[in-house]
Structures are given as C-alpha cells and as structure tokens.
Amino acid sequence: MSRPERPVLVVIAHGSRDPRHAATVHALVRRVRAQRPGLRVETGFLDFNIPSVQGVLNSLAAEGVRDVVALPLLLTRAFHAKSDIPAVLRQAPSRLRIRQAEVLGPSPLLTAALERRLYEAGLTPADKSSTGVVLASAGSTDPEAIAVIAEIAREWRHTGWCAVRPAFASASLPRTEDAVRELRALGCERVAVAPYVLAPGFLPDRIARGAAAADVLADVLGPAPEVARVLLDRYDEARMPSLAAVGA
C-alpha cells in the first residue's frame, strides 16, 4: 500500500515593495527545499508581491492537492498570525485541508542564527563578554509579541554577552539608537546590533540607520540554515493532527 503524500508546505510571507524582501524569502525557501528533498514548498505573499496566498491555494486545489500546511513567515505571534493569515486561509477552496503552523519564534535555532550573523559581521566568541548587543525587532502593537522579544533578550544575555537590550523599529520603544546609547553608558567595550528580522525592507533599513553609532551591524536572518530548520520543525509539528487545527 502506498504511503500518503506529505502535505504541501505553503510559506506565507508578508511581502514588500522592496525587491530585496521577495528575493530573500525565495532564497530561504530554496534552502528549505535543499534540507528536505522531496517536500513540495510553495510561497505566497500577503501583499505587494506575487503570487498571492489566495492564488497559490487556488492553484493547489485546481491540481487536486488535498493537504496543506500554511506556515506564517513571522518571528512573533502578532496581528498577522492571529488575524490576517487565518482570514486568508478561511477563503481557501473547500477541498483543501489546511493546518496553520506556528510562527517561527521563539526558538534556540533563531538565537543561533543571530549569533551566526554577528560572527559573519566580524565578532568572535571571544568578544562576547565585552560586547553589548541590541536585539533589534521590527516592533508590534501586540503586547504578547513585545514581551517575547524582551524575554529573548533576557535569555540571550545569559549566554555570555556583556548585555543584551531589545529595541524596536516601530510601534514600541526603545529605538535601536537609544539601545546603542544605553549599552555605551553601561560600559560595554563594543556594541553590536543584531536585526531580529527575516528579510530586508523599510523597517530593517530603519534599524540599520539606528545602528550608525554601533561598532557592528549584523545582516538580517534571511536564508540562514538555522532558520530553514525552524521552518521544517514548524511544518513537522503542524502536520501532526493532534497539534494543529485549520486556521488556529
């Protein structure tokens, strides 16, 4: 008897007018495919870019696909994960069985990806005890999302950094430049900014401008191998019927 087909993974990205955003999303999806050969992975965008999420779902249904795992390409469970994406999924063709995966963060793998980017930007593990890090997020009006970022900063501090401070590019305070000044005032020998964002765009550019007085600015997480592993972990969790529900 043949084994049932694995659900198609549909990665749901926010989208942006900045062409670097879609290019980075596609690079990440290519890495996911490379890590899991044979898994079909499609990408849909909520806004600005094509294909749209609705278009991808309609095409899959027209092909005869039955099972889909919809994975929000988001680091925190804020408005898009709680409202926008479930609303889009409710409009999908009725023949599709859709399970919405959890957002990517928090995860120790994402923290590892942040450190990877800092080391690629010039730091070494030996620099940790003398370096203060700004964990720079896009920001949110959702208190749960803000609390998660603050908790990641607290936990990351315990791995050996001089200090770690959260910062936000929008909606919340402090801004990146304020956190840089705070770490200077604490006496950290050097200050590094680690963008906790997945792809370039308007808010990551604001983070970069806020990092002007820092010694090190890391790249966005992008197609880091650890990020691809988190996507696959969330996919595996969601395809277990006891752990997922349509539009949940």
Side-chain angles (χ1 to χ4, degrees), residues 160-184:
W161 296 100
C162 174
V164 180
R165 293 290 186 271
F168 306 94
S170 68
S172 306
L173 296 173
R175 295 286 184 257
T176 301
E177 52 269 34
D178 300 326
V180 170
R181 283 193 292 269
E182 181 184 353
L183 291 171
R184 292 279 188 218

PDB file of all heavy atoms in Angstrom, residues 160-184:
ATOM      1  N   GLY A 160      26.439  34.767  27.825  1.00  0.00           N
ATOM      2  CA  GLY A 160      27.805  35.284  27.910  1.00  0.00           C
ATOM      3  C   GLY A 160      28.036  36.672  27.378  1.00  0.00           C
ATOM      4  O   GLY A 160      29.149  37.205  27.512  1.00  0.00           O
ATOM      5  N   TRP A 161      27.035  37.306  26.776  1.00  0.00           N
ATOM      6  CA  TRP A 161      27.222  38.667  26.284  1.00  0.00           C
ATOM      7  C   TRP A 161      27.314  39.649  27.449  1.00  0.00           C
ATOM      8  O   TRP A 161      26.762  39.419  28.523  1.00  0.00           O
ATOM      9  CB  TRP A 161      26.052  39.063  25.375  1.00  0.00           C
ATOM     10  CG  TRP A 161      25.973  38.242  24.128  1.00  0.00           C
ATOM     11  CD1 TRP A 161      25.129  37.187  23.915  1.00  0.00           C
ATOM     12  CD2 TRP A 161      26.764  38.384  22.953  1.00  0.00           C
ATOM     13  NE1 TRP A 161      25.361  36.663  22.657  1.00  0.00           N
ATOM     14  CE2 TRP A 161      26.354  37.375  22.042  1.00  0.00           C
ATOM     15  CE3 TRP A 161      27.780  39.247  22.559  1.00  0.00           C
ATOM     16  CZ2 TRP A 161      26.925  37.220  20.785  1.00  0.00           C
ATOM     17  CZ3 TRP A 161      28.345  39.108  21.302  1.00  0.00           C
ATOM     18  CH2 TRP A 161      27.921  38.112  20.424  1.00  0.00           C
ATOM     19  N   CYS A 162      27.996  40.770  27.226  1.00  0.00           N
ATOM     20  CA  CYS A 162      28.112  41.810  28.247  1.00  0.00           C
ATOM     21  C   CYS A 162      26.722  42.287  28.677  1.00  0.00           C
ATOM     22  O   CYS A 162      26.438  42.438  29.865  1.00  0.00           O
ATOM     23  CB  CYS A 162      28.924  42.980  27.686  1.00  0.00           C
ATOM     24  SG  CYS A 162      29.007  44.425  28.755  1.00  0.00           S
ATOM     25  N   ALA A 163      25.853  42.497  27.697  1.00  0.00           N
ATOM     26  CA  ALA A 163      24.460  42.881  27.944  1.00  0.00           C
ATOM     27  C   ALA A 163      23.701  42.708  26.640  1.00  0.00           C
ATOM     28  O   ALA A 163      24.295  42.749  25.560  1.00  0.00           O
ATOM     29  CB  ALA A 163      24.365  44.325  28.440  1.00  0.00           C
ATOM     30  N   VAL A 164      22.397  42.522  26.741  1.00  0.00           N
ATOM     31  CA  VAL A 164      21.534  42.458  25.559  1.00  0.00           C
ATOM     32  C   VAL A 164      20.307  43.312  25.836  1.00  0.00           C
ATOM     33  O   VAL A 164      19.662  43.163  26.885  1.00  0.00           O
ATOM     34  CB  VAL A 164      21.108  41.009  25.226  1.00  0.00           C
ATOM     35  CG1 VAL A 164      20.214  41.000  23.983  1.00  0.00           C
ATOM     36  CG2 VAL A 164      22.328  40.109  25.006  1.00  0.00           C
ATOM     37  N   ARG A 165      19.993  44.198  24.927  1.00  0.00           N
ATOM     38  CA  ARG A 165      18.839  45.070  25.084  1.00  0.00           C
ATOM     39  C   ARG A 165      17.924  44.944  23.864  1.00  0.00           C
ATOM     40  O   ARG A 165      18.394  44.979  22.732  1.00  0.00           O
ATOM     41  CB  ARG A 165      19.276  46.536  25.233  1.00  0.00           C
ATOM     42  CG  ARG A 165      20.036  46.824  26.512  1.00  0.00           C
ATOM     43  CD  ARG A 165      19.130  46.739  27.731  1.00  0.00           C
ATOM     44  NE  ARG A 165      19.808  47.138  28.946  1.00  0.00           N
ATOM     45  CZ  ARG A 165      20.491  46.316  29.736  1.00  0.00           C
ATOM     46  NH1 ARG A 165      20.578  45.022  29.405  1.00  0.00           N
ATOM     47  NH2 ARG A 165      21.082  46.756  30.826  1.00  0.00           N
ATOM     48  N   PRO A 166      16.615  44.827  24.090  1.00  0.00           N
ATOM     49  CA  PRO A 166      15.687  44.823  22.952  1.00  0.00           C
ATOM     50  C   PRO A 166      15.487  46.239  22.424  1.00  0.00           C
ATOM     51  O   PRO A 166      15.606  47.221  23.158  1.00  0.00           O
ATOM     52  CB  PRO A 166      14.392  44.284  23.561  1.00  0.00           C
ATOM     53  CG  PRO A 166      14.457  44.715  24.995  1.00  0.00           C
ATOM     54  CD  PRO A 166      15.911  44.688  25.378  1.00  0.00           C
ATOM     55  N   ALA A 167      15.170  46.333  21.133  1.00  0.00           N
ATOM     56  CA  ALA A 167      14.828  47.611  20.514  1.00  0.00           C
ATOM     57  C   ALA A 167      13.834  47.336  19.399  1.00  0.00           C
ATOM     58  O   ALA A 167      13.711  46.202  18.925  1.00  0.00           O
ATOM     59  CB  ALA A 167      16.070  48.315  19.973  1.00  0.00           C
ATOM     60  N   PHE A 168      13.129  48.393  18.970  1.00  0.00           N
ATOM     61  CA  PHE A 168      12.041  48.212  18.020  1.00  0.00           C
ATOM     62  C   PHE A 168      12.075  49.319  16.977  1.00  0.00           C
ATOM     63  O   PHE A 168      12.298  50.481  17.297  1.00  0.00           O
ATOM     64  CB  PHE A 168      10.697  48.221  18.756  1.00  0.00           C
ATOM     65  CG  PHE A 168      10.654  47.215  19.880  1.00  0.00           C
ATOM     66  CD1 PHE A 168      10.971  47.601  21.184  1.00  0.00           C
ATOM     67  CD2 PHE A 168      10.340  45.896  19.637  1.00  0.00           C
ATOM     68  CE1 PHE A 168      10.956  46.686  22.224  1.00  0.00           C
ATOM     69  CE2 PHE A 168      10.329  44.969  20.664  1.00  0.00           C
ATOM     70  CZ  PHE A 168      10.632  45.354  21.962  1.00  0.00           C
ATOM     71  N   ALA A 169      11.823  48.934  15.735  1.00  0.00           N
ATOM     72  CA  ALA A 169      11.853  49.907  14.639  1.00  0.00           C
ATOM     73  C   ALA A 169      10.552  50.664  14.504  1.00  0.00           C
ATOM     74  O   ALA A 169      10.502  51.714  13.859  1.00  0.00           O
ATOM     75  CB  ALA A 169      12.188  49.203  13.327  1.00  0.00           C
ATOM     76  N   SER A 170       9.473  50.146  15.104  1.00  0.00           N
ATOM     77  CA  SER A 170       8.183  50.819  15.011  1.00  0.00           C
ATOM     78  C   SER A 170       7.307  50.405  16.178  1.00  0.00           C
ATOM     79  O   SER A 170       7.573  49.397  16.834  1.00  0.00           O
ATOM     80  CB  SER A 170       7.467  50.463  13.703  1.00  0.00           C
ATOM     81  OG  SER A 170       7.072  49.098  13.711  1.00  0.00           O
ATOM     82  N   ALA A 171       6.295  51.181  16.434  1.00  0.00           N
ATOM     83  CA  ALA A 171       5.205  50.852  17.373  1.00  0.00           C
ATOM     84  C   ALA A 171       5.604  50.825  18.843  1.00  0.00           C
ATOM     85  O   ALA A 171       4.784  51.094  19.709  1.00  0.00           O
ATOM     86  CB  ALA A 171       4.549  49.511  17.002  1.00  0.00           C
ATOM     87  N   SER A 172       6.841  50.490  19.140  1.00  0.00           N
ATOM     88  CA  SER A 172       7.277  50.342  20.529  1.00  0.00           C
ATOM     89  C   SER A 172       8.625  51.030  20.729  1.00  0.00           C
ATOM     90  O   SER A 172       9.323  51.356  19.776  1.00  0.00           O
ATOM     91  CB  SER A 172       7.397  48.862  20.902  1.00  0.00           C
ATOM     92  OG  SER A 172       6.196  48.177  20.629  1.00  0.00           O
ATOM     93  N   LEU A 173       8.975  51.211  21.978  1.00  0.00           N
ATOM     94  CA  LEU A 173      10.261  51.792  22.350  1.00  0.00           C
ATOM     95  C   LEU A 173      11.009  50.801  23.236  1.00  0.00           C
ATOM     96  O   LEU A 173      10.390  49.932  23.843  1.00  0.00           O
ATOM     97  CB  LEU A 173      10.048  53.118  23.095  1.00  0.00           C
ATOM     98  CG  LEU A 173       9.401  54.248  22.284  1.00  0.00           C
ATOM     99  CD1 LEU A 173       9.104  55.439  23.193  1.00  0.00           C
ATOM    100  CD2 LEU A 173      10.291  54.672  21.119  1.00  0.00           C
ATOM    101  N   PRO A 174      12.359  50.904  23.290  1.00  0.00           N
ATOM    102  CA  PRO A 174      13.211  51.949  22.713  1.00  0.00           C
ATOM    103  C   PRO A 174      13.547  51.686  21.242  1.00  0.00           C
ATOM    104  O   PRO A 174      13.376  50.578  20.747  1.00  0.00           O
ATOM    105  CB  PRO A 174      14.484  51.849  23.564  1.00  0.00           C
ATOM    106  CG  PRO A 174      14.564  50.392  23.908  1.00  0.00           C
ATOM    107  CD  PRO A 174      13.137  49.954  24.120  1.00  0.00           C
ATOM    108  N   ARG A 175      14.027  52.719  20.562  1.00  0.00           N
ATOM    109  CA  ARG A 175      14.549  52.585  19.217  1.00  0.00           C
ATOM    110  C   ARG A 175      15.984  52.040  19.283  1.00  0.00           C
ATOM    111  O   ARG A 175      16.628  52.061  20.333  1.00  0.00           O
ATOM    112  CB  ARG A 175      14.541  53.937  18.502  1.00  0.00           C
ATOM    113  CG  ARG A 175      13.152  54.488  18.271  1.00  0.00           C
ATOM    114  CD  ARG A 175      12.448  53.712  17.154  1.00  0.00           C
ATOM    115  NE  ARG A 175      11.128  54.291  16.857  1.00  0.00           N
ATOM    116  CZ  ARG A 175       9.990  53.769  17.255  1.00  0.00           C
ATOM    117  NH1 ARG A 175       9.992  52.661  17.979  1.00  0.00           N
ATOM    118  NH2 ARG A 175       8.840  54.331  16.951  1.00  0.00           N
ATOM    119  N   THR A 176      16.458  51.587  18.143  1.00  0.00           N
ATOM    120  CA  THR A 176      17.805  50.997  18.081  1.00  0.00           C
ATOM    121  C   THR A 176      18.865  51.959  18.586  1.00  0.00           C
ATOM    122  O   THR A 176      19.738  51.581  19.385  1.00  0.00           O
ATOM    123  CB  THR A 176      18.122  50.584  16.630  1.00  0.00           C
ATOM    124  OG1 THR A 176      17.145  49.643  16.180  1.00  0.00           O
ATOM    125  CG2 THR A 176      19.507  49.961  16.536  1.00  0.00           C
ATOM    126  N   GLU A 177      18.808  53.218  18.147  1.00  0.00           N
ATOM    127  CA  GLU A 177      19.833  54.181  18.545  1.00  0.00           C
ATOM    128  C   GLU A 177      19.821  54.430  20.052  1.00  0.00           C
ATOM    129  O   GLU A 177      20.885  54.655  20.662  1.00  0.00           O
ATOM    130  CB  GLU A 177      19.662  55.505  17.783  1.00  0.00           C
ATOM    131  CG  GLU A 177      18.274  56.110  17.843  1.00  0.00           C
ATOM    132  CD  GLU A 177      17.365  55.663  16.712  1.00  0.00           C
ATOM    133  OE1 GLU A 177      17.482  54.501  16.257  1.00  0.00           O
ATOM    134  OE2 GLU A 177      16.514  56.494  16.286  1.00  0.00           O
ATOM    135  N   ASP A 178      18.635  54.365  20.681  1.00  0.00           N
ATOM    136  CA  ASP A 178      18.545  54.543  22.128  1.00  0.00           C
ATOM    137  C   ASP A 178      19.195  53.369  22.857  1.00  0.00           C
ATOM    138  O   ASP A 178      19.894  53.565  23.867  1.00  0.00           O
ATOM    139  CB  ASP A 178      17.085  54.667  22.556  1.00  0.00           C
ATOM    140  CG  ASP A 178      16.384  55.850  21.915  1.00  0.00           C
ATOM    141  OD1 ASP A 178      17.056  56.889  21.708  1.00  0.00           O
ATOM    142  OD2 ASP A 178      15.187  55.734  21.599  1.00  0.00           O
ATOM    143  N   ALA A 179      18.967  52.157  22.364  1.00  0.00           N
ATOM    144  CA  ALA A 179      19.574  50.980  22.986  1.00  0.00           C
ATOM    145  C   ALA A 179      21.087  50.984  22.811  1.00  0.00           C
ATOM    146  O   ALA A 179      21.829  50.572  23.712  1.00  0.00           O
ATOM    147  CB  ALA A 179      18.968  49.707  22.391  1.00  0.00           C
ATOM    148  N   VAL A 180      21.562  51.460  21.655  1.00  0.00           N
ATOM    149  CA  VAL A 180      23.016  51.581  21.453  1.00  0.00           C
ATOM    150  C   VAL A 180      23.610  52.519  22.495  1.00  0.00           C
ATOM    151  O   VAL A 180      24.638  52.209  23.129  1.00  0.00           O
ATOM    152  CB  VAL A 180      23.327  52.082  20.023  1.00  0.00           C
ATOM    153  CG1 VAL A 180      24.817  52.451  19.892  1.00  0.00           C
ATOM    154  CG2 VAL A 180      22.967  51.016  18.987  1.00  0.00           C
ATOM    155  N   ARG A 181      22.966  53.671  22.702  1.00  0.00           N
ATOM    156  CA  ARG A 181      23.477  54.626  23.699  1.00  0.00           C
ATOM    157  C   ARG A 181      23.453  54.023  25.104  1.00  0.00           C
ATOM    158  O   ARG A 181      24.382  54.245  25.897  1.00  0.00           O
ATOM    159  CB  ARG A 181      22.646  55.915  23.660  1.00  0.00           C
ATOM    160  CG  ARG A 181      22.961  56.826  22.501  1.00  0.00           C
ATOM    161  CD  ARG A 181      22.353  58.205  22.687  1.00  0.00           C
ATOM    162  NE  ARG A 181      20.901  58.162  22.604  1.00  0.00           N
ATOM    163  CZ  ARG A 181      20.221  58.333  21.464  1.00  0.00           C
ATOM    164  NH1 ARG A 181      20.863  58.557  20.334  1.00  0.00           N
ATOM    165  NH2 ARG A 181      18.896  58.306  21.469  1.00  0.00           N
ATOM    166  N   GLU A 182      22.421  53.271  25.419  1.00  0.00           N
ATOM    167  CA  GLU A 182      22.326  52.661  26.744  1.00  0.00           C
ATOM    168  C   GLU A 182      23.475  51.683  26.975  1.00  0.00           C
ATOM    169  O   GLU A 182      24.073  51.652  28.066  1.00  0.00           O
ATOM    170  CB  GLU A 182      20.991  51.942  26.904  1.00  0.00           C
ATOM    171  CG  GLU A 182      20.824  51.298  28.284  1.00  0.00           C
ATOM    172  CD  GLU A 182      19.536  50.506  28.406  1.00  0.00           C
ATOM    173  OE1 GLU A 182      18.701  50.549  27.481  1.00  0.00           O
ATOM    174  OE2 GLU A 182      19.368  49.826  29.437  1.00  0.00           O
ATOM    175  N   LEU A 183      23.793  50.891  25.979  1.00  0.00           N
ATOM    176  CA  LEU A 183      24.884  49.916  26.126  1.00  0.00           C
ATOM    177  C   LEU A 183      26.234  50.621  26.245  1.00  0.00           C
ATOM    178  O   LEU A 183      27.111  50.166  26.982  1.00  0.00           O
ATOM    179  CB  LEU A 183      24.877  48.943  24.947  1.00  0.00           C
ATOM    180  CG  LEU A 183      23.679  47.974  24.929  1.00  0.00           C
ATOM    181  CD1 LEU A 183      23.635  47.192  23.630  1.00  0.00           C
ATOM    182  CD2 LEU A 183      23.750  47.016  26.119  1.00  0.00           C
ATOM    183  N   ARG A 184      26.393  51.724  25.535  1.00  0.00           N
ATOM    184  CA  ARG A 184      27.622  52.528  25.704  1.00  0.00           C
ATOM    185  C   ARG A 184      27.722  53.014  27.149  1.00  0.00           C
ATOM    186  O   ARG A 184      28.781  52.956  27.781  1.00  0.00           O
ATOM    187  CB  ARG A 184      27.592  53.729  24.759  1.00  0.00           C
ATOM    188  CG  ARG A 184      27.706  53.412  23.303  1.00  0.00           C
ATOM    189  CD  ARG A 184      29.130  53.172  22.884  1.00  0.00           C
ATOM    190  NE  ARG A 184      29.204  53.062  21.426  1.00  0.00           N
ATOM    191  CZ  ARG A 184      29.991  52.217  20.802  1.00  0.00           C
ATOM    192  NH1 ARG A 184      30.775  51.395  21.494  1.00  0.00           N
ATOM    193  NH2 ARG A 184      30.018  52.159  19.487  1.00  0.00           N
TER     194      ARG A 184
END
